[in-house]
C-alpha cells in the first residue's frame, strides 16, 4: 500500500526534521556563545543632517559561530528571546557598549565628548524587573551621563497594555534616559503613545527611504513624520540611507539625522575610532 504521495510526505517530514535539528543546534551554540561571552558589538554612526557631526552611534550585536558562520541578529535575537537568554545577552552587550563608548570618549576628548549611545532593547527586557537596576549599575560604573543613552524600542512595546512595561518606560524617562522609536511608520503607533511615553526620537523606517526616489507617497510620509516630530519636539533619524540623492532629499525634508551605508557601515570600536578621526578632518 504505497501511495504515490507517500514518498513526498516522507521527504517533507525529513526536511522538517532537518530544520528542527538545525534550529536546536543553533540554539545550543547560541547558549554557549552567550555564556562564554563570544558575541560582539559593532557601532554605526548617526550623523546630524545640518552640521554633519556624528552625535551618536547605534550598537548592533554580532555573532560569528564556528559552526554556522556569521549569524544575523535578525535570527539570533528572536532565538535568544525564545530560549530565555535575552536578559543575560542584553546585560552583557550593554556592558561592552558602555565601556566601548567610554573609551571612545576618552580617546577623542573634544568633539566626541558627548558621543551618545543608541542601544536596541527587546520587549523581553522591558518585562523584567531586573532590567533597570542592571542598566543603572552599569551606567554608574562608567560615570555616564544618562542623557547620553538612548534606548531603541519598537512600537509594539508601546501599544502592549502591560503594567511592568509602562512602569519601566516611565522609570527610564525619569532617570533622564532618552527613548527612540525604531522602524517608525511600519507599526501601529498612536500619537497619544508618543506623547504619553515622551518619545525623544523617531527612526523613520528604511523602507520609506529605499523607495523615496521613485515614490511621491514615501516622500509625503517622510514629510508628514518630520512635521509631526517637529511639532511634538522630537528628533528624527532616517535609516538605511545608501545614496547621495536620498541624503540630499532628506536634508531638504529637514530630517534631523542620517544613518546608513552611504556614510558608514556598522564597525568595531577600533574601526569606528579611525573613521571618526577621518570624518572630523574632512
Ligand atoms: P535595526 O535596529 O533596525 O538596525 C538597523 C539595521 O539596518 C542593522 O542591521 C544595520 O546594519 C542595517 N543598516 C544600516 N544602514 C543600512 C543601509 O544603509 N542599508 C541597509 N540595507 N541596511 C542598513 P543588523 O545589524 O543586521 O540588525 C538587524 C536587527 O537586529 C536590528 O534592526 C535590530 O532589530 C536587531 N538587533 C541588532 N542588534 C541588537 C541588539 O543588541 N539587541 C536587540 N534587542 N536587537 C538587536
Ligand atoms: Ca535599531
Ligand atoms: Ca530600524
Ligand atoms: Ca528592524
Amino acid at each position: 500500500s504505497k501511495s504515490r504521495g507517500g514518498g513526498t510526505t516522507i521527504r517533507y517530514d525529513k526536511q522538517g526534521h532537518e530544520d528542527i535539528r538545525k534550529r536546536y543546534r543553533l540554539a545550543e551554540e547560541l547558549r554557549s556563545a552567550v555564556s562564554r561571552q563570544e558575541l560582539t558589538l559593532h557601532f554605526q554612526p548617526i550623523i546630524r543632517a545640518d552640521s554633519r557631526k556624528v552625535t551618536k552611534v547605534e550598537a548592533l550585536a554580532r555573532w560569528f559561530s564556528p559552526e554556522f558562520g556569521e549569524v544575523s541578529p535578525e535570527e539570533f535575537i528572536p532565538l535568544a528571546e525564545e530560549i530565555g537568554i535575552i536578559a543575560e545577552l542584553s546585560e552583557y552587550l550593554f556592558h561592552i557598549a558602555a565601556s566601548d563608548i567610554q573609551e571612545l570618549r576618552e580617546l577623542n576628548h573634544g568633539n566626541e565628548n558627548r558621543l551618545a549611545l543608541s542601544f536596541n532593547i527587546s520587549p523581553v527586557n522591558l518585562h523584567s524587573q531586573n532590567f533597570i537596576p542592571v542598566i543603572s549599575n552599569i551606567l554608574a560604573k562608567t560615570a555616564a551621563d544618562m542623557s547620553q543613552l538612548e534606548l531603541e524600542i519598537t512600537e509594539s512595546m508601546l501599544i502592549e497594555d502591560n503594567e511592568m512595561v509602562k512602569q519601566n518606560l516611565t522609570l527610564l524617562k525619569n532617570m533622564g534616559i532618552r527613548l527612540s522609536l525604531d522602524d517608525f511608520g511600519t507599526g501601529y503607533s498612536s500619537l497619544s503613545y508618543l506623547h504619553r511615553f515622551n518619545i525623544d526620537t523617531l527612526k523613520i523606517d528604511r523602507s520609506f527611504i529605499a523607495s523615496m526616489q521613485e515614490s511621491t507617497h514615501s516622500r509625503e510620509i517622510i514629510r508628514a513624520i518630520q512635521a509631526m516630530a517637529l511639532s511634538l519636539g522630537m528628533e528624527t533619524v532616517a535609516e538605511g540611507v545608501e545614496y547621495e540623492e536620498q541624503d540630499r532629499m532628506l536634508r531638504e525634508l529637514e530630517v534631523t539625522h542620517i544613518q546608513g551605508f552611504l556614510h558608514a557601515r556598522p564597525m568595531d570600536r577600533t574601526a569606528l575610532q579611525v573613521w571618526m578621526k577621518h570624518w572630523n578632518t574632512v
Side-chain angles (χ1 to χ4, degrees):
S1 63
K2 279 182 186 169
S3 74
R4 269 204 278 161
T8 318
T9 312
I10 287 167
R11 207 173 65 226
Y12 281 144
D13 281 347
K14 211 171 162 191
Q15 183 56 46
H17 220 79
E18 290 289 302
D19 288 350
I20 292 166
R21 259 231 302 272
K22 190 202 158 185
R23 202 168 163 73
Y24 183 79
R25 278 294 305 149
L26 196 66
E28 262 193 339
E29 281 295 293
L30 180 61
R31 207 184 283 281
S32 65
V34 169
S35 72
R36 291 195 301 258
Q37 308 202 327
E38 285 171 358
L39 284 87
T40 58
L41 276 180
H42 277 187
F43 299 94
Q44 186 178 32
I46 299 176
I47 296 156
R48 270 204 75 95
D50 52 8
S51 67
R52 306 259 106 184
K53 284 209 162 69
V54 182
T55 49
K56 48 187 169 184
V57 292
E58 177 177 2
L60 294 157
R62 294 291 177 260
W63 177 33
F64 181 82
S65 149
E67 185 175 340
F68 297 99
E70 192 75 50
V71 184
S72 162
E74 310 241 22
E75 189 169 2
F76 70 75
I77 295 288
L79 187 57
E81 291 171 350
E82 201 182 306
I83 64 176
I85 56 173
I86 190 72
E88 191 190 343
L89 176 56
S90 302
E91 175 174 357
Y92 162 65
L93 290 176
F94 190 68
H95 201 89
I96 315 178
S99 79
D100 278 0
I101 289 295
Q102 180 73 358
E103 189 148 331
L104 276 164
R105 287 187 190 126
E106 280 164 10
L107 285 169
N108 305 271
H109 28 200
N111 277 344
E112 292 82 4
N113 257 339
R114 298 206 50 84
L115 186 70
L117 168 69
S118 209
F119 189 81
N120 292 285
I121 61 171
S122 140
V124 181
N125 295 135
L126 283 182
H127 281 103
S128 150
Q129 212 147 21
N130 284 326
F131 179 67
I132 296 200
V134 160
I135 293 264
S136 41
N137 270 333
I138 296 173
L139 287 176
K141 277 187 209 133
T142 53
D145 169 358
M146 303 289 181
S147 69
Q148 289 178 284
L149 172 63
E150 199 161 81
L151 295 177
E152 298 198 5
I153 62 173
T154 51
E155 294 165 271
S156 61
M157 301 187 209
L158 295 185
I159 57 177
E160 182 185 10
D161 198 30
N162 178 288
E163 268 318 307
M164 180 65 73
V165 170
K166 284 187 215 161
Q167 242 180 57
N168 276 342
L169 286 174
T170 308
L171 263 170
L172 288 167
K173 284 304 299 185
N174 290 343
M175 285 165 71
I177 290 169
R178 294 166 58 90
L179 294 179
S180 179
L181 212 48
D182 214 345
D183 307 336
F184 188 74
T186 57
Y188 302 90
S189 21
S190 142
L191 300 187
S192 67
Y193 291 117
L194 299 183
H195 183 69
R196 169 150 184 222
F197 293 106
N198 225 316
I199 300 297
D200 299 279
T201 306
L202 300 179
K203 299 195 75 175
I204 307 168
D205 191 69
R206 195 162 83 207
S207 57
F208 300 111
I209 315 303
S211 56
M212 74 179 300
Q213 287 158 283
E214 311 81 55
S215 161
T216 321
H217 185 238
S218 294
R219 287 198 297 279
E220 286 312 318
I221 289 176
I222 297 171
R223 194 190 305 280
I225 294 175
Q226 183 56 39
M228 180 182 71
L230 191 68
S231 68
L232 293 175
M234 298 182 290
E235 298 189 336
T236 51
V237 176
E239 295 190 302
V241 180
E242 295 181 353
Y243 302 103
E244 288 289 353
E245 174 72 358
Q246 295 168 338
D247 183 277
R248 192 190 58 72
M249 290 170 108
L250 288 162
R251 270 186 288 160
E252 228 169 73
L253 290 166
E254 298 183 308
V255 306
T256 347
H257 296 83
I258 305 279
Q259 178 180 13
F261 295 168
L262 172 66
H263 297 302
R265 289 184 174 260
M267 49 201 139
D268 66 25
R269 190 191 62 199
T270 314
L272 176 65
Q273 216 223 320
V274 173
W275 181 90
M276 288 212 296
K277 276 222 171 82
H278 181 252
W279 181 263
N280 284 323
T281 53
V282 290

